[in-house]
Amino acid sequence: MDRSGTSRRTSRRTFIAGAAAAGGTAALSSVGGVAAAAAAPVPGSVAVLGGGVAGLTAAHELAERGFGVTVYERRALGGKARSMDVPGSARGGRRPLPAEHGFRFIPGIYHNLPDTMRRIPFPGNARGVWDNLVAPPEMSLARTGREDLRIPLPWPGHRPAELTLDEIRRALTAMLDTALGIPVHETAYFVNRVLVFLTSCDERRDEVWERTPWWDFIRAERMSHDYQRILAIGMTRNIVATKAEVASTRTVATLLEAFVFNALGRGADGPLDRILDAPTNEAWIDPWVAHLASLGVRFAVGWTVREMAYGDGRITAAVVEDPQGTRRSVTADHYVSALPVEHARRTWGPALRAADPQLARCDELHTDWMTGIQFYLTESAPLLHGHLNCVDSPWSLTAIQQAGHWPDRDFPADYGDGAVVDCLSVDISEWDRPGVLYGKTAKQCTRAEVAKEVWAQLKAALNDTGRTVLKDSALHSWFLDPGVDGLGTPHPTNEDQLLIHPVGTFHNRPSAATAVPNFFLAGDYVSVDIDLATMEGANASARAAVNALLDGTGSAAPRCTVTPLFRAPELEALKRHDRSRHRWGLPNAFDLG
């Protein structure tokens, strides 16, 4: 397969145009909503409320099983996973500069989302949009005032990154600096804590480690600065946008366990780190919408869900607001709420909450800010070929330079005004800590100040050991996620917050099935095997919601496959032994205290 030829680029552009047209047609035809779908000879009509990964997954699975589906989305299909255009940035027949809520990261620990991606057709791809995934060969822990630690990500077929003699010198310096920065006894203690978790039974994980902060579990308070920055904060705030001091050990260590086995090639769908080879909508979302439209799914974009009307033990309607601001009652046989939790729970009235107490418990779930900003460069910065994690940055920045991962894209020829050659996409995970430039938190800064502060923190992490990686003269422009508003005022808002995992969160997660027989939940807050706010969790929860709907209706249609996280069989005997110790009130056999 020629992944860089002109024919492939042409087929991409042709397909993208067709996908946009198909999506637009589906949206226009959806006025009248589920009522039209209900008249068709199908098992029943379903209103899917929310058009992010969870909603599109539910629509996909339901449509394949013959249901009439309409997806109601208030803003744009794809939700937080979508890419978007920078307004007014296109010149000379090029497409607008690509932007996003945050860069996409689809690791090999995911199984359900990749399965869906394989079932989305894409021209020239034998395995659908899944073939649009590429694997960066390395990552970096970017240290402020110290050499950055470059970490290879080996995988069969990976071509090792080519290094200059100076880069080899810097890599060796960083490895030794990191090794010496964390004392041997601290390293040994951390490894022991990992072994404790790996051999802990499910009951101990759910009852003890779920209520133990990661910071306490690894005794970070007593350890060195490097131990705290890399092993405590680096694994929490920078990756899952939660604070090590309060994050559930169950959540953090489950993620660590999955990544360890992924790196060892155990139970993995693919390499540890995978990203898309083009802007998200081009590589994934637009083809998905086009495929769903071909299956008969209807889309009502610009419709906002206001309330789930409840009576006689069932949902009687979804009260929505159309693009003109008129309230309407949408009726269907079944309803799948696929809204983010902070939006979904606003639509559940007292009667509905009383009908199922797990809905009220969702008020105890917490969200925080993790938002992207893109910097457009007129010169490609000499960064690594993969993600970098600025572990010492006050705002917990992570980033990736994108053009090098988009082999079918000639960035200046395809996007913007012809001057931009690359996009440095950055995620800001900490919004409540003062920065280095203004001494203000990100929420206290204006949008322009946020951009300047992030740029300054990036330079502090990358331009700090005798070479200039980021040049002010190469900065063309920037774009901050429009979901953030009111920055620099007393009441900033963020429409796209991220579920975080303080201790006890696991016990407040609802199931996909509710006590209301025609109402189902899908989203990354729903209880599924992957205990993390991820696209994989959103996808798995939607599959669980569809299965619950099929069970409730007595359908003979095949159930969705929901693949759990990998469990190493060689550890099962140790976990059974730990189950006995836990029931007797004893600590894990490896727990040295």
Side-chain angles (χ1 to χ4, degrees):
M1 184 187 305
D2 180 8
R3 295 187 65 81
S4 59
T6 303
S7 61
R8 180 173 171 85
R9 292 176 63 191
T10 302
S11 68
R12 274 186 179 277
R13 290 172 178 171
T14 303
F15 179 77
I16 290 161
T25 301
L28 290 172
S29 68
S30 68
V31 176
V34 182
V42 294
S45 60
V46 185
V48 175
L49 310 170
V53 171
L56 295 181
T57 300
H60 194 157
E61 300 292 349
L62 288 163
E64 286 188 343
R65 289 159 177 79
F67 287 84
V69 181
T70 299
V71 176
Y72 293 86
E73 166 56 40
R74 67 188 174 93
R75 188 173 52 190
L77 297 172
K80 290 194 288 287
R82 77 194 189 283
S83 56
M84 62 195 88
D85 296 337
V86 176
S89 63
R91 300 286 188 279
R94 301 176 185 84
R95 295 195 290 278
L97 290 170
E100 55 199 353
H101 168 73
F103 54 73
R104 303 277 71 75
F105 172 51
I106 304 173
I109 67 172
Y110 291 3
H111 290 275
N112 298 291
L113 184 68
D115 172 71
T116 296
M117 298 178 83
R118 291 185 182 95
R119 291 154 48 205
I120 303 170
F122 195 94
N125 288 358
R127 294 166 294 188
V129 302
W130 186 89
D131 280 336
N132 293 337
L133 293 173
V134 295
E138 59 181 340
M139 64 168 290
S140 172
L141 299 180
R143 307 302 308 274
T144 300
R146 298 158 68 174
E147 287 292 352
D148 301 338
L149 181 63
R150 294 176 70 153
I151 304 170
L153 301 175
W155 195 262
H158 262 180
R159 181 181 177 182
E162 296 181 1
L163 301 177
T164 65
L165 184 61
D166 181 62
E167 288 173 328
I168 293 172
R169 176 186 65 80
R170 291 175 179 276
L172 290 172
T173 300
M175 290 172 62
L176 290 172
D177 181 46
T178 302
L180 296 174
I182 302 179
V184 174
H185 72 277
E186 292 186 359
T187 301
Y189 183 78
F190 181 80
V191 170
N192 172 259
R193 302 310 287 166
V194 172
L195 291 177
V196 168
F197 188 83
L198 289 177
T199 58
S200 289
C201 62
D202 292 341
E203 291 86 349
R204 191 184 300 276
R205 294 184 182 199
D206 296 348
E207 297 168 15
V208 180
W209 302 142
E210 170 61 22
R211 301 195 182 280
T212 303
W214 177 246
W215 188 267
D216 295 346
F217 180 76
I218 63 172
R219 291 194 177 180
E221 186 65 35
R222 307 181 186 182
M223 303 300 185
S224 64
H225 175 77
D226 277 7
Y227 183 100
Q228 294 175 352
R229 295 304 307 179
I230 296 174
L231 301 179
I233 297 173
M235 289 187 180
T236 54
R237 195 63 186 169
N238 295 67
I239 297 174
V240 297
T242 193
K243 293 179 172 65
E245 295 85 350
V246 299
S248 156
T249 290
R250 183 188 188 279
T251 295
V252 176
T254 297
L255 175 69
L256 175 60
E257 177 183 29
F259 280 161
V260 166
F261 286 120
N262 190 172
L264 295 173
R266 303 291 308 282
D269 180 81
L272 187 69
D273 188 1
R274 295 181 297 188
I275 60 176
L276 291 163
D277 65 358
T280 308
N281 274 38
E282 296 182 31
W284 174 24
I285 300 299
D286 288 346
W288 200 4
V289 171
H291 180 58
L292 295 183
S294 74
L295 295 176
V297 175
R298 299 167 179 264
F299 299 97
V301 178
W303 295 56
T304 303
V305 182
R306 295 301 184 190
E307 183 184 358
M308 301 307 301
Y310 174 79
D312 296 326
R314 301 175 63 84
I315 297 296
T316 57
V319 180
V320 301
E321 194 173 280
D322 68 17
Q324 289 72 44
T326 302
R327 289 214 168 195
R328 299 168 176 259
S329 291
V330 171
T331 58
D333 296 320
H334 314 282
Y335 302 82
V336 177
S337 177
L339 303 171
V341 66
E342 68 273 20
H343 299 296
R345 58 194 176 197
R346 296 172 189 160
T347 70
W348 304 336
L352 179 57
R353 287 165 175 261
D356 191 343
Q358 70 172 343
L359 299 179
R361 288 200 301 272
C362 288
D363 290 341
E364 301 303 317
L365 298 177
H366 299 278
T367 59
D368 204 347
W369 292 31
M370 186 176 186
T371 304
I373 183 171
Q374 288 78 52
F375 295 97
Y376 303 99
L377 309 177
T378 57
E379 296 179 31
S380 186
L383 293 171
L384 77 162
H385 199 68
H387 289 96
L388 63 92
N389 185 334
C390 300
V391 295
D392 297 315
S393 59
W395 289 2
S396 296
L397 306 179
T398 49
I400 190 168
Q401 197 167 220
Q402 293 181 318
H405 302 286
W406 295 351
D408 296 339
R409 293 290 173 272
D410 182 337
F411 207 100
D414 289 347
Y415 302 107
D417 59 5
V420 175
V421 303
D422 212 337
C423 171
L424 180 60
S425 187
V426 184
D427 282 355
I428 308 168
S429 296
E430 173 59 77
W431 285 77
D432 295 303
R433 182 179 298 172
V436 299
L437 199 59
Y438 300 105
K440 297 191 291 187
T441 70
K443 293 176 183 176
Q444 293 170 334
C445 291
T446 64
R447 297 179 73 86
E449 288 173 339
V450 167
K452 292 178 181 177
E453 176 71 51
V454 171
W455 186 252
Q457 291 187 30
L458 289 171
K459 290 196 299 180
L462 300 170
N463 293 2
D464 56 337
T465 55
R467 63 173 182 160
T468 301
V469 176
L470 297 181
K471 301 177 182 178
D472 291 340
S473 60
L475 180 56
H476 175 278
S477 53
W478 53 269
F479 182 83
L480 178 62
D481 183 9
V484 173
D485 195 18
L487 291 176
T489 73
H491 303 290
T493 59
N494 187 344
E495 290 189 355
D496 299 298
Q497 297 192 38
L498 186 72
L499 181 74
I500 59 172
H501 306 269
V503 293
T505 297
F506 170 76
H507 301 291
N508 291 319
R509 283 173 170 261
S511 64
T514 74
V516 180
N518 66 338
F519 186 53
F520 308 90
L521 305 179
D524 59 13
Y525 68 97
V526 173
S527 181
V528 291
D529 192 60
I530 186 165
D531 182 24
L532 194 66
T534 58
M535 295 185 294
E536 173 77 349
N539 183 280
S541 70
R543 292 166 178 248
V546 171
N547 286 346
L549 189 156
L550 296 175
D551 291 344
T553 59
S555 171
R559 281 8 182 205
C560 307
T561 299
V562 184
T563 304
L565 286 171
F566 174 72
R567 293 176 69 106
E570 57 268 40
L571 295 179
E572 292 304 313
L574 292 169
K575 290 180 181 179
R576 287 194 296 271
H577 177 66
D578 186 60
R579 183 174 295 111
S580 297
R581 292 182 63 89
H582 177 62
R583 289 173 177 172
W584 295 334
L586 298 174
N588 180 277
F590 291 92
D591 198 336
L592 304 178

